[in-house]
Amino acid sequence: MSEAESPKPEQHTLAAEPAAPARAPSASRGNGLALFALLLGAAGIAVGGWGLWQVRSLEARDQQQLSMVEEARGQTRALAQREQQLTERLEALPTAAELDERRRLLTDLQGDQQQLRQRLETILGASRKDWRLAEAEHLLRLASLRLSALQDIHSATALVQAADDILREQNDPSAYAAREQLAKSLAALRGTAQPDRTGLFLQLGALRDQSAQLDPLVPAFEDKGGVLLDLAADGDGGNAWAEWLERLSHYFRIQLNADQDIKPLLAGQQLSRVRLALSLALEQAQWGALHGQTQVYQQSLRQAREILDSHFNGENPDSRALLARLDELAGQPVEVQTPDLASALSALQAYLQRTPGAAAAAAEEPGTADPAEEAGQ
């Protein structure tokens, strides 16, 4: 091959090399179009999603607006009903003339009620005064009964004082004479000593309990002639005889002096009967002390003392103490001279006769309570 021909392949090679760069732009252009298409599709999807979200938002807003409209319609209907009710009430209201007439009737009714209340208070006040005066008379009668039946000075004083308080509340000058007699009765009652009957009753009860523990007379053999000494000198037989006589001395008593009373020996049922008689005598004395019966009280104490002297050992300390207490209680008063309330009762009744309502109330039922006062309570 010649040198002129050798360079041709190189030129062909050189000429063929520039063809490769012509393919590269077409490939990059295709890739760019694909990427643009993808971006355009993604943008379309985004625009479609945004549009769908806008549609949903609009639908939700429309539903909210519809609910607000329905609520407004309900409120409108409620306002219409309320307006209708107000209209009906306004139509039912009286007119100005009717209101004036009703106001006048109300004023007349209030005036009538006030007059009726005043009349009722006047009637009740008079009735209360009458019943209080009748109660004063009843209290005075009850005080007189307490004095005559029980000789209870304290209760009678309280009752007379209550009657005087009732008259003082009346503030009536015409009650001066009645109050004067009541004051005299109160002074007489307060100057009268009240015996302690309850204390006497309790003391006699304590003596009754003490009498159940008293010992009877116990005979004792007294060797004044030296008989026991002579028997004791005989030896053992004499000692046995002396012991036997000592035992017999507890069951038999020989008194050679005829001027002395022979006291019976007590044992068994006879001792129980004597103790029962003593207890009954003290119990009767209790009754006399409680009821203010001086004769019964003194007689019962004397009977109890006689039983003690006759059947119990006077040398016993318990018997001596019991006798001393009986003598002391016998000197205590159980009955008092009570004042007479007849003059005070007569003066009060004379005052009630000058008060017709009080006299009628007292004649109707003097022991009842005040009905006006109970109604007020």
Side-chain angles (χ1 to χ4, degrees):
M1 181 176 299
S2 62
E3 295 179 357
E5 294 176 352
S6 58
K8 292 179 178 180
E10 293 179 358
Q11 294 178 356
H12 179 71
T13 305
L14 294 173
E17 288 180 357
R23 295 177 182 176
S26 60
S28 60
R29 186 179 300 168
N31 293 332
L33 291 174
L35 181 60
F36 178 75
L38 291 175
L39 291 176
L40 186 61
I45 292 172
V47 170
W50 182 79
L52 181 61
W53 178 77
Q54 289 292 332
V55 171
R56 294 289 179 84
S57 300
L58 290 175
E59 290 179 353
R61 188 176 300 172
D62 292 340
Q63 292 293 333
Q64 185 177 4
Q65 290 179 353
L66 288 175
S67 62
M68 292 175 64
V69 169
E70 292 296 332
E71 184 178 359
R73 289 177 181 176
Q75 292 178 357
T76 304
R77 287 193 296 269
L79 290 175
Q81 293 178 357
R82 185 175 300 175
E83 183 179 1
Q84 184 179 0
Q85 293 177 356
L86 291 175
T87 304
E88 293 176 354
R89 291 181 181 179
L90 289 175
E91 292 177 356
L93 290 176
T95 61
E98 293 177 351
L99 287 175
D100 293 337
E101 182 66 19
R102 292 183 182 182
R103 189 179 296 109
R104 185 184 62 80
L105 292 176
L106 181 60
T107 304
D108 295 340
L109 179 60
Q110 290 178 351
D112 294 339
Q113 288 180 350
Q114 186 175 3
Q115 293 179 0
L116 181 60
R117 186 182 298 108
Q118 291 177 356
R119 292 179 182 177
L120 182 61
E121 290 177 355
T122 302
I123 294 173
L124 290 179
S127 176
R128 184 177 186 277
K129 178 180 178 181
D130 298 339
W131 280 104
R132 291 288 287 173
L133 292 176
E135 183 183 358
E137 183 187 8
H138 175 68
L139 291 175
L140 198 56
R141 289 179 181 272
L142 185 59
S144 179
L145 181 62
R146 297 285 294 183
L147 287 177
S148 60
L150 300 177
Q151 297 181 355
D152 191 352
I153 303 297
H154 297 307
S155 298
T157 304
L159 292 172
V160 175
Q161 182 63 51
D164 184 68
D165 292 339
I166 292 175
L167 291 182
R168 179 175 55 83
E169 292 175 359
Q170 304 303 319
N171 196 17
D172 188 1
S174 59
Y176 175 80
R179 291 199 63 190
E180 182 181 7
Q181 293 298 326
L182 288 176
K184 292 180 180 179
S185 299
L186 283 173
L189 288 172
R190 289 167 180 168
T192 304
Q194 174 70 52
D196 188 10
R197 296 174 181 171
T198 304
L200 292 177
F201 181 86
L202 296 176
Q203 293 177 24
L204 290 172
L207 294 182
R208 284 183 59 195
D209 297 337
Q210 184 180 356
S211 65
Q213 307 296 330
L214 291 179
D215 295 328
L217 289 172
V218 179
F221 180 76
E222 296 181 2
D223 183 18
K224 297 183 179 179
V227 177
L228 292 179
L229 296 176
D230 295 338
L231 292 175
D234 295 338
D236 295 336
N239 291 333
W241 178 252
E243 293 177 0
W244 182 72
L245 289 177
E246 180 65 23
R247 290 181 180 179
L248 287 179
S249 65
H250 292 281
Y251 301 97
F252 299 94
R253 174 177 292 180
I254 301 176
Q255 292 185 350
L256 301 179
N257 296 327
D259 58 343
Q260 297 180 357
D261 295 333
I262 299 177
K263 298 180 180 180
L265 303 180
L266 301 178
Q269 294 182 357
Q270 188 176 5
L271 177 60
S272 299
R273 286 194 296 269
V274 171
R275 285 178 174 172
L276 179 60
L278 180 59
S279 177
L280 291 176
L282 294 175
E283 185 175 358
Q284 191 173 5
Q286 284 182 299
W287 184 91
L290 196 60
H291 292 82
Q293 299 293 332
T294 303
Q295 184 177 0
V296 176
Y297 177 74
Q298 296 292 342
Q299 184 178 357
S300 301
L301 290 181
R302 285 196 300 268
Q303 184 179 358
R305 182 178 178 81
E306 291 175 358
I307 294 174
L308 282 173
D309 290 336
S310 301
H311 300 285
F312 291 93
N313 189 1
E315 298 179 357
N316 190 345
D318 295 335
S319 299
R320 289 200 307 270
L322 185 57
L323 286 172
R325 286 295 299 153
L326 290 178
D327 293 338
E328 182 180 352
L329 293 178
Q332 296 292 331
V334 296
E335 185 178 3
V336 294
Q337 188 67 29
T338 59
D340 190 9
L341 301 181
S343 58
L345 183 59
S346 300
L348 181 59
Q349 289 176 348
Y351 170 68
L352 293 179
Q353 292 299 326
R354 294 191 296 271
T355 309
E364 180 180 355
E365 193 166 353
T368 56
D370 186 5
E373 185 176 355
E374 292 180 355
Q377 291 177 356

